[in-house]
Amino acid sequence: MQDRVYNFSAGPAVLPLPVLKKAQEELLCLPGAGCSVLEVSHRSKQFEAVIGTAESNLRKLFNVPENYRVMFLQGGALLQFAMIPMNILGGQSADYFVTGTWSKTALGEAKTQGSINTIWDGSETKFNRNPKTGEFSVHPGAAYCYMTSNETIQGVQWQSLPEIGNVPLVCDASSDIFCKPVDISKFGVYFACAQKNAGPAGVTVVIMRDDLVEKSPANLPKMLNYKMLAEGKSMVNTPPCFAVYMLKLVTEWLLDDVGGLDKMYERNVEKAQLLYDAIDHSGGFYRGHAVKEDRSIMNVPFVLSNDDLTKKFLEEAKSHKLTQLSGHRSVGGCRASIYNAMPRDGVLALRDFMLDFAKHNG
Ligand SMILES: *Cc1c(COP(=O)(O)O)cnc(C)c1O
């Protein structure tokens, strides 16, 4: 325990300590199962209870409407980039907001499946902002419109949803699922890999409206076919049992310890503000990447004036048990990922270190 650091990794990322402790406590014997969740059949009633509770907790947290299916899939968010167009493009075209590295990757994958339009691209300003109303228009006949709610690498987050009329909105929420309340009825598809803000690597949550689930072409292989995966209750084959179990524990933590997504959001806003204030009041010693209006409350990328100083910052941070703070290789600098599970004390420790480092090196 003394060796545990404050881990600012972008993903896989910090998990809530009570969740890890619970998993440790139940690792040898899942209550009622007589063996570990790692050892029990996925068809057993004990595992059915695990996956059932994960789903009902998730439905409770988001108030998911009845006409949406919840699936726990494999292949990460990246497989969803391809499965979405495979299943719901239906010979039409789709519109993409390219707001950072992840939506750009999603665009590339979608283009392997059909006709895809970029309706806004932020690359000219290095993806430091999201579009405003009036800067894009959605094709009325589009099969769907695609967005990334939080660009993990650039630290740019949508503060409100784009106006897109009746076209179904598809959202990659991999790095900000559960960070705040979300109205699922505004989306056709809302998906997230777990390893940033919802659990460990290995499971991806897909919440999809019934009419879109019905669009899956019958000739798609089972494992790529939402209709079959939904009908099979995410158990067409063996699901990632342990990852689903961990996700169940995270949803329990959100409901019982945190007290729901409103409370989680309050905590997240306060934590993010601590870091952004330190950046804004540093007299330019630290510079953030995103414009203020679109700043992420999950990933805080920032740069120092040169590479040597950045290196020194990262090394000294490590000696204060503040780790995994280097920025993504594509943008450089530093990045503090402060997901739900990052305690306020960890953010405070980083904030204090940043102030101190600036004082001694500015
Ligand atoms: C991490 C991430 C992904 C990729 O997730 P994988 O599970 O590794 O495929 C996609 N989108 C966003 C926004 C991410 O943060």
Side-chain angles (χ1 to χ4, degrees):
M1 261 306 285
Q2 313 73 297
D3 287 341
R4 267 185 80 82
V5 294
Y6 288 123
N7 167 16
F8 294 92
S9 169
V14 58
L15 284 162
L17 200 53
V19 166
L20 293 174
K21 284 189 170 152
K22 181 89 176 173
Q24 184 182 46
E25 190 186 299
E26 293 185 345
L27 185 69
L28 298 186
C29 190
L30 185 68
C35 63
S36 173
V37 66
L38 291 162
E39 301 168 303
V40 74
S41 164
H42 62 292
R43 307 282 176 201
S44 65
K45 66 177 193 306
Q46 289 84 9
F47 186 74
E48 273 184 0
V50 168
I51 198 165
T53 308
E55 173 168 346
S56 60
N57 286 351
L58 193 147
R59 284 185 177 273
K60 208 181 291 173
L61 281 165
F62 275 145
N63 213 349
V64 177
E66 278 298 314
N67 62 325
Y68 283 73
R69 302 279 69 81
V70 175
M71 291 170 264
F72 300 109
L73 306 182
Q74 303 191 58
L78 222 75
L79 185 56
Q80 297 309 309
F81 294 176
M83 273 175 73
I84 286 160
M86 271 180 193
N87 281 270
I88 68 172
L89 206 47
Q92 295 165 269
S93 64
D95 289 349
Y96 276 60
F97 289 109
V98 179
T99 55
T101 306
W102 286 117
S103 36
K104 202 171 159 193
T105 307
L107 176 83
E109 290 294 284
K111 281 185 170 169
T112 67
Q113 298 304 313
S115 158
I116 307 292
N117 304 305
T118 300
I119 53 168
W120 191 82
D121 181 327
S123 57
E124 237 166 66
T125 58
K126 294 187 175 164
F127 299 122
N128 71 345
R129 67 179 189 94
N130 282 324
K132 296 184 180 61
T133 309
E135 289 187 306
F136 59 87
S137 56
V138 174
H139 299 87
Y144 64 90
C145 176
Y146 185 98
M147 65 178 281
T148 307
S149 51
N150 182 65
E151 286 285 357
T152 321
I153 292 171
Q154 283 81 13
V156 170
Q157 189 173 28
W158 288 84
Q159 309 300 320
S160 59
L161 295 179
E163 295 285 346
I164 61 159
N166 289 327
V167 174
L169 185 57
V170 173
C171 179
D172 174 4
S174 290
S175 54
D176 70 351
I177 186 172
F178 299 147
C179 87
K180 61 183 173 191
V182 165
D183 180 357
I184 295 294
S185 73
K186 296 274 194 288
F187 298 91
V189 187
Y190 188 86
F191 73 94
C193 57
Q195 71 270 22
K196 280 67 185 276
N197 214 18
V203 63
T204 298
V205 175
V206 180
I207 307 174
M208 186 178 268
R209 214 172 59 208
D210 282 341
D211 59 299
L212 296 170
V213 173
E214 290 301 320
K215 284 182 87 173
S216 297
N219 63 350
L220 276 182
K222 276 183 188 165
M223 289 300 288
L224 300 175
N225 185 315
Y226 290 123
K227 188 156 186 266
M228 291 187 187
L229 290 161
E231 278 169 4
K233 298 201 174 331
S234 308
M235 293 223 246
V236 164
N237 70 340
T238 315
C241 299
F242 191 71
V244 171
Y245 163 78
M246 290 297 289
L247 187 126
K248 183 202 87 138
L249 295 186
V250 170
T251 57
E252 262 161 25
W253 174 76
L254 285 165
L255 285 166
D256 303 339
D257 288 27
V258 177
L261 297 183
D262 281 307
K263 291 270 165 48
M264 194 67 251
Y265 182 54
E266 274 172 36
R267 285 193 198 182
N268 286 330
V269 167
E270 204 244 329
K271 284 189 293 178
Q273 201 57 47
L274 288 168
L275 295 189
Y276 286 123
D277 280 347
I279 291 169
D280 291 343
H281 299 151
S282 71
F285 186 85
Y286 303 109
R287 277 171 295 123
H289 180 75
V291 300
K292 280 190 188 173
E293 313 86 83
D294 295 331
R295 280 171 163 175
S296 168
I297 57 171
M298 295 280 99
N299 310 97
V300 182
F302 57 93
V303 294
L304 289 77
S305 61
N306 63 64
D307 288 350
D308 288 341
L309 203 55
T310 305
K311 206 167 150 227
K312 189 172 180 214
F313 177 89
L314 293 171
E315 270 163 20
E316 283 186 27
K318 210 182 232 171
S319 69
H320 286 75
K321 293 196 166 194
L322 306 165
T323 69
Q324 308 215 41
L325 280 162
S326 43
H328 189 267
R329 59 190 184 278
S330 65
V331 296
C334 306
R335 170 175 51 170
S337 295
I338 48 172
Y339 297 121
N340 287 351
M342 171 56 67
R344 184 176 186 272
D345 281 351
V347 177
L348 269 181
L350 175 59
R351 193 274 310 263
D352 291 346
F353 171 73
M354 286 172 75
L355 296 180
D356 201 52
F357 187 86
K359 197 155 72 187
H360 289 100
N361 296 275

